Amino acid sequence: MKTFTQQLSLSAAIAVALSAPAFAADTAPGFSVLALEKAPASADVAALASQLPGLQADIVAVHEVQRAAGAIDPLQTLADKLGYAYRFVQADVDAQGNARGQVVLSRLPVQAESGPDHPGRSYLRVADGRNVVALYTDADQDANGMASLLSASRLGAPAVVLGGKARIDGFTATGLDSAASAGFADADVQKVALRDAAGKSLAARLLVLDYAEAAGGAKPWMDAALSADERTRLLLGEMTQDEKFQMLRSYFGLGKDGGPLPEGAVGSAGFVPGVERLGIPAQQSADAGVGVTNPGGIRPGDFATAMPSGPSTASSWNPEVAYTGGATMGREAWQQRFNILLGGSVNLQRDPRNGRNFEYAGEDPLLAGVIVGESIRGIQSQHVISTMKHYALNDMETRRNFHSVQIGDQAMHESDLLAFEIAIELGKPGSAMCSYNKINGIYGCEHPYLMNQVLKQEWKFPGFVMSDWGGVHSGSKAALAGLDQQSAGEVFDATTFFDAPLRMAVAGGVVPQARLDDMVSRILRTMFLHGNFDNPPQHLKIDVEAGFAAAQRTVEEGSVLLRNEGNLLPLAESVKRIVIIGGHADKGVIGGGGSSMVGITAKGTNAVPGVLPTTWPGPVMFHPSSPLEALRAERPDADIQYVDGRNTAAAARAAAQADVAIVFATQWAAESVDLPDMQLPDKQDGLIAAVAKANPKTVVVLETNGPVRTPWLQQVPALMQAWYPGIRGGEGIAALLTGKANPSGRLPVTWVVDESQLPRPQIPGLGFNPKQPPVDIFDFDIEGANVGYKWAAAKGLVPTFAFGHGLSYTQFAYENLSVSVEGQRLVASVDVRNTGARAGADVAQLYLKLPQGHTTPIRLVGFDKVTLQPGEQRRIRIDAEPKTLADFDPATRQWTIAAGTYQVQLGRTAAEPLQVVDITLQETAVR
């Protein structure tokens, strides 16, 4: 058992649970914006930081900010000093990387915001204790684009547009280069006397918009002009005790033991009845992380886009791809009557044998946190609540309901918990799902340290914690530890703990009424915030082509070209005879098993039925997207044949007669069971070796859960990792093989040679019907925070392919790396040039090499994906995540950058620095 800080007392735990949802500042009679006429210089930051708190402006806005590629914005430093949120809204950027745009600093908490789908403008939903404002910036001043963003996000809240010069229907100019909607009363603009460091005047004006009177009425909580906190307060006061308890447990939305669906359920993983008399809508929760599921076709006529797996999205290293994928899943969930999607899977890949890696986003906390955070933000842009799961350290599936993860506090924060924290900061998920497993001997759904102290107090998470299905073991203990809602306990748990047992505990004073009200408040507040009340889902036809486009883009950006000796790929026009071998590539592409499996799509269901296992966690799914047919469509001039690969000799003969042989190798993985080893199943290694011996021009396409052994690698000139590529897998793979798309995926995991390079080379009890009994302890202290490439660096291991590795059909050069540091901020800039003959994209990866003797040798601190035309050069900017520069101190509960000399490395992989700069960091506490 590891020692943490002292566990919270009961009274402290309740205080913690109640502290997060409400905004601490006094409720103001109006909304105020302080506009600075020009951006301050670095020397003026301290002076402004001393003056601004006295003004209590909700927003500080600066138009026409010029930000140099490698410079730290003084307004960012100002925000850090004040504890304000900072947003730079980019209007344009030149080839030297210098950007023009607007800056917004928010004193009020940012509850939701727009994603990368509206370039040049942004949406921030900010609120005090009673009032809410939808705040928009329009750096590009495009009225049409702004109208679209307003329609998608406002949800009836009073709104302010900053910087928009075009007329917007329903908005009135305020006299401060801004416009306000209804929901405000009088507007007042005043000059403000601010002074710079030299005592000279800084021109500024303060806009104050008084809030209009609340609408009131029989159901005042239905007033969208009020904040989610105020609406929740009003509604909670009208609820009976029975109605409150109704919110705390969901039913299995597919029915118990094959029986009828709960009344009102549409057919899903979870269902909470609404309260009609109060206007509370039902909660309809759908799996999962790669698309909206329809188990057994329980909803006739419903289908969804089967998105590529999590590692595919992570391999794109592109937040926009993740956001678009999330928005696709959220939109399709909403159109199938769901208001909660059980996505947002953040668990780190500590072992390639974990059966659920296909739902996750790799081994690095920064990359995983950013990619999953953007996916969550995309889901919630469609007014669907997203979960974040599985909290925490559910990194193996073997005996997941029983095993305990052993890990120290610092290592936990610097690895898995950091990924969750970054995902929360970016995505702001409405719910967190606690995990099945134990962490240092305590179940995830009974863990007061993780749920109350870390999640709700230290991270100020305002949403609600739901259990995983079958993850609850108690009533009062779980409630006091921070669990807010039990999921389908009547089917998956020993009993419905959050019904009669919790009622008795509240009645007897074991669980205070205040804790019960907090549990209900967190759920209601989340539903108000994400539009469940104001924009309820409807049953509509999904946009099939938009889903296909999002899926194929993910395949094309997320597939990784691992090897390409002699430039065998893309397939030359002179290649006329092609044989495709194995992997059921004539029918489709494989997908992962378990609750996340999307079994019904616009193109039908399983293309290869009957592959074992056909029962849970199966059936083994092949999505109907045939690489064979797609390649024939791309190359109608070529003779393309298929051989199933069951007869190795026949496959070798066919390969010998072809110009190029392409072997598709698959590995099925699923929830609830881990893979026994890293070997390709069904003797596929022998098939690949035989084909490569028969034809030296052999391409291997892997559709796997993660890294596998590659004993045939030196005989195979071209290798592509396609992960589980989803419903457009065939088309995406064909585009990459032919050069219609240029590979730009980079590995989100270290591709170890074999199990001997893992922290736990041998784990008893993995796989179906293991020969050895499984273990119930996973000692993660072996590697601690050194997951993946950090483990390789610490142990001097040379993997098959390094973290971040990936090839392209063009080449890139990097020059003139420069680094700026101020406080907790580190910004790098570098020139990137496409030196090849094709347009393509590369991922500039920024690593920090820590001083000699540090436990962790190297960390990814930032990245940027850049697309360039042949010969094009661009200077790019990479902002480091401050916590990746720092260490977590369990005693002070603080991230601190240690003073010392560090090396910043710009590379294509964690093991291949291309440019380096030595820097000196001062001791700094990260805010």
Side-chain angles (χ1 to χ4, degrees):
M1 175 76 68
K2 299 301 169 198
T3 302
F4 291 136
T5 55
Q6 184 177 2
Q7 287 195 357
L8 298 176
S9 66
L10 174 59
S11 58
I14 296 167
V16 166
L18 293 172
S19 67
F23 178 51
D26 293 337
T27 300
F31 180 73
S32 57
V33 178
L34 178 69
L36 303 180
E37 291 194 4
K38 67 175 184 177
S42 295
D44 301 326
V45 167
L48 279 174
S50 67
Q51 297 171 72
L52 291 183
L55 294 174
Q56 289 288 291
D58 298 317
I59 298 294
V60 178
V62 188
H63 304 309
E64 295 299 321
V65 174
Q66 305 292 327
R67 189 174 73 173
I72 296 169
D73 185 357
L75 287 164
Q76 173 76 82
T77 306
L78 177 62
D80 288 341
K81 287 182 176 294
L82 294 172
Y84 290 7
Y86 166 92
R87 298 294 184 273
F88 178 75
V89 186
Q90 185 173 294
D92 55 51
V93 60
D94 61 23
Q96 288 72 47
N98 302 311
R100 177 183 65 85
Q102 293 186 38
V103 168
V104 172
L105 310 184
S106 178
R107 183 182 68 91
L108 300 181
V110 177
Q111 297 181 333
E113 58 188 297
S114 57
D117 53 339
H118 288 90
R121 60 188 58 82
S122 72
Y123 153 65
L124 301 176
R125 194 174 188 89
V126 298
D128 60 19
R130 184 177 187 275
N131 304 289
V132 63
V133 174
L135 180 73
Y136 300 87
T137 60
D138 194 7
D140 275 352
Q141 299 173 1
D142 174 1
N144 293 330
M146 180 55 68
S148 171
L149 181 55
L150 282 164
S151 174
S153 59
R154 185 180 163 193
L155 287 177
V160 174
V161 178
L162 300 175
K165 297 188 182 299
R167 179 180 176 84
I168 302 173
D169 290 343
F171 283 72
T172 303
T174 64
L176 192 66
D177 196 17
S178 62
S181 73
F184 297 106
D186 295 335
D188 180 48
V189 179
Q190 303 173 355
K191 290 185 177 180
V192 176
L194 293 175
R195 301 291 175 181
D196 65 13
K200 295 181 180 179
S201 176
L202 289 172
R205 291 176 294 163
L206 182 68
L207 165 68
V208 178
L209 294 162
D210 293 332
Y211 292 115
E213 290 294 325
K219 296 179 179 177
W221 54 85
M222 298 304 291
D223 184 355
L226 298 175
S227 71
D229 291 295
E230 178 66 5
R231 297 173 75 177
T232 298
R233 185 188 69 80
L234 292 168
L235 176 52
L236 187 71
E238 296 297 319
M239 296 180 73
T240 68
Q241 194 80 331
D242 283 345
E243 288 166 344
K244 292 176 181 178
F245 271 100
Q246 184 172 309
M247 305 296 293
L248 303 184
R249 50 81 58 98
S250 68
Y251 296 86
F252 190 40
L254 303 178
K256 183 177 181 180
D257 299 328
L261 272 61
E263 184 178 354
V266 300
S268 62
F271 168 71
V272 180
V275 182
E276 185 176 355
R277 79 173 186 91
L278 298 174
I280 302 175
Q283 298 167 53
Q284 307 273 5
S285 300
D287 283 313
V290 293
V292 183
T293 64
N294 184 5
I298 197 166
R299 305 188 309 277
D302 277 0
F303 55 85
T305 301
M307 294 296 295
S309 62
S312 180
T313 304
S315 293
S316 75
W317 290 64
N318 189 340
E320 185 179 351
V321 166
Y323 179 90
T324 302
T328 299
M329 295 187 290
R331 181 179 65 250
E332 293 182 0
W334 192 91
Q335 291 167 338
Q336 294 183 48
R337 297 171 287 175
F338 296 111
N339 51 18
I340 301 175
L341 190 65
L342 306 175
S345 301
V346 196
N347 300 89
L348 293 187
Q349 178 170 318
R350 287 177 176 265
D351 194 303
R353 294 165 292 190
N354 176 21
R356 216 168 180 180
N357 282 336
F358 70 91
E359 293 188 47
Y360 303 146
E363 70 190 26
D364 181 76
L366 175 62
L367 179 61
V370 168
I371 292 298
V372 179
E374 288 294 343
S375 176
I376 290 169
R377 188 152 62 134
I379 291 168
Q380 296 189 156
S381 73
Q382 304 301 306
H383 310 301
V384 172
I385 296 166
S386 176
T387 60
M388 175 193 70
K389 63 184 188 183
H390 306 88
Y391 186 74
L393 290 124
N394 189 177
D395 298 343
M396 296 295 288
E397 290 292 287
T398 297
R399 284 181 60 83
R400 61 183 181 173
N401 296 83
F402 306 98
H403 79 241
S404 181
V405 168
Q406 303 297 102
I407 188 168
D409 202 8
Q410 179 177 353
M412 177 166 54
H413 273 83
E414 292 177 5
S415 55
D416 293 64
L417 291 191
L418 180 56
F420 280 104
E421 188 174 5
I422 291 171
I424 287 176
E425 291 171 354
L426 280 175
K428 300 177 175 59
S431 177
M433 183 189 293
C434 54
S435 60
Y436 289 121
N437 56 290
K438 298 174 184 177
I439 303 92
N440 296 307
I442 302 173
Y443 279 112
C445 293
E446 294 180 349
H447 214 297
Y449 173 75
L450 287 176
M451 291 192 291
N452 275 338
Q453 182 169 333
V454 175
L455 182 66
K456 292 182 176 179
Q457 182 185 35
E458 295 177 354
W459 295 352
K460 298 179 172 58
F461 177 69
F464 68 100
V465 180
M466 70 166 67
S467 72
D468 206 338
W469 276 235
V472 182
H473 303 269
S474 62
S476 58
K477 183 178 181 180
L480 292 172
L483 181 64
D484 300 306
Q485 188 181 75
Q486 181 182 12
S487 304
E490 82 285 2
V491 173
F492 292 92
D493 295 319
T495 189
T496 309
F497 292 104
F498 275 22
D499 195 353
L502 186 58
R503 287 176 183 267
M504 291 178 62
V506 173
V510 176
V511 174
Q513 181 68 37
R515 172 62 186 130
L516 176 72
D517 288 348
D518 173 60
M519 296 160 76
V520 177
S521 294
R522 287 175 175 273
I523 296 167
L524 292 175
R525 179 189 181 278
T526 301
M527 296 175 71
F528 276 124
L529 180 61
H530 294 288
N532 290 181
F533 283 80
D534 305 314
N535 191 27
Q538 303 176 34
H539 205 190
L540 301 172
K541 184 178 180 180
I542 74 167
D543 188 338
V544 173
E545 292 304 319
F548 283 177
Q552 184 161 342
R553 181 184 180 189
T554 306
V555 176
E556 292 178 359
E557 289 207 35
S559 298
V560 185
L561 183 60
L562 296 172
R563 181 174 167 87
N564 194 23
E565 296 300 305
N567 294 321
L568 180 56
L569 294 177
L571 297 171
E573 289 297 320
S574 59
V575 173
K576 299 298 184 182
R577 294 175 301 164
I578 302 171
V579 61
I580 293 179
I581 300 169
H584 296 288
D586 59 327
K587 301 293 186 183
V589 292
I590 201 168
S595 61
S596 66
M597 185 189 70
V598 180
I600 304 175
T601 71
K603 296 172 72 172
T605 183
N606 201 341
V608 189
V611 179
L612 298 177
T614 57
T615 58
W616 174 266
V620 176
M621 172 62 62
F622 279 82
H623 297 297
S625 177
S626 164
L628 172 66
E629 297 304 324
L631 193 58
R632 283 173 172 169
E634 292 291 344
R635 288 293 308 272
D637 60 314
D639 176 19
I640 305 177
Q641 300 298 318
Y642 175 75
V643 176
D644 63 25
R646 293 174 183 169
N647 184 313
T648 300
R653 286 194 296 270
Q657 297 170 10
D659 295 332
V660 170
I662 306 175
V663 181
F664 281 77
T666 62
Q667 173 204 55
W668 184 71
E671 177 183 356
S672 79
V673 62
D674 291 317
L675 294 163
D677 50 45
M678 290 179 60
Q679 186 172 6
L680 284 171
D682 303 323
K683 301 180 180 179
Q684 293 178 95
D685 286 330
L687 172 66
I688 295 170
V691 170
K693 183 177 181 180
N695 188 332
K697 293 186 176 181
T698 292
V699 179
V700 174
V701 178
L702 294 174
E703 297 170 15
T704 66
N705 180 56
V708 295
R709 301 179 209 161
T710 55
W712 32 260
L713 184 63
Q714 296 307 312
Q715 286 73 52
V716 172
L719 173 62
M720 181 175 290
Q721 170 61 283
W723 312 103
Y724 295 159
I727 194 57
R728 294 291 283 186
E731 291 81 358
I733 291 169
L736 291 164
L737 293 176
T738 60
K740 184 178 181 180
N742 193 344
S744 62
R746 305 294 182 260
L747 286 177
V749 294
T750 301
W751 197 291
V752 295
V753 173
D754 55 31
E755 295 87 337
S756 68
Q757 291 188 326
L758 297 173
R760 286 160 293 281
Q762 296 177 342
I763 302 176
L766 302 187
F768 290 108
N769 304 314
K771 295 180 180 179
Q772 296 176 290
V775 298
D776 278 343
I777 298 292
F778 284 95
D779 185 2
F780 287 175
D781 271 323
I782 295 172
E783 73 273 29
N786 288 341
V787 181
Y789 66 91
K790 300 168 188 174
W791 171 258
K795 298 298 180 180
L797 303 174
V798 179
T800 303
F801 301 110
F803 174 85
H805 171 75
L807 304 176
S808 170
Y809 297 149
T810 189
Q811 298 82 42
F812 299 89
Y814 290 84
E815 295 178 329
N816 304 318
L817 174 66
S818 68
V819 179
S820 298
V821 178
E822 185 172 340
Q824 68 183 44
R825 299 292 166 182
L826 184 153
V827 173
S829 61
V830 67
D831 293 325
V832 189
R833 185 172 73 259
N834 183 343
T835 61
R838 291 175 178 262
D842 201 15
V843 179
Q845 302 165 34
L846 194 70
Y847 295 91
L848 185 72
K849 185 177 181 182
L850 286 92
Q852 187 73 27
H854 195 285
T855 304
T856 299
I858 189 172
R859 292 174 180 153
L860 178 73
V861 298
F863 59 90
D864 185 38
K865 190 170 193 176
V866 56
T867 300
L868 299 172
Q869 297 298 313
E872 183 182 3
Q873 177 172 303
R874 191 181 309 161
R875 191 160 187 83
I876 62 170
R877 172 192 181 96
I878 304 176
D879 287 271
E881 160 56 47
K883 290 186 180 71
T884 62
L885 311 176
D887 299 325
F888 181 78
D889 185 346
T892 63
R893 316 305 299 166
Q894 179 68 58
W895 289 88
T896 303
I897 299 172
T901 300
Y902 298 72
Q903 186 178 81
V904 175
Q905 300 181 346
L906 191 286
R908 290 196 183 92
T909 77
E912 184 187 0
L914 302 176
Q915 297 259 294
V916 300
V917 171
D918 290 331
I919 60 169
T920 300
L921 298 180
Q922 304 300 319
E923 183 172 338
T924 305
V926 175
R927 297 192 64 169

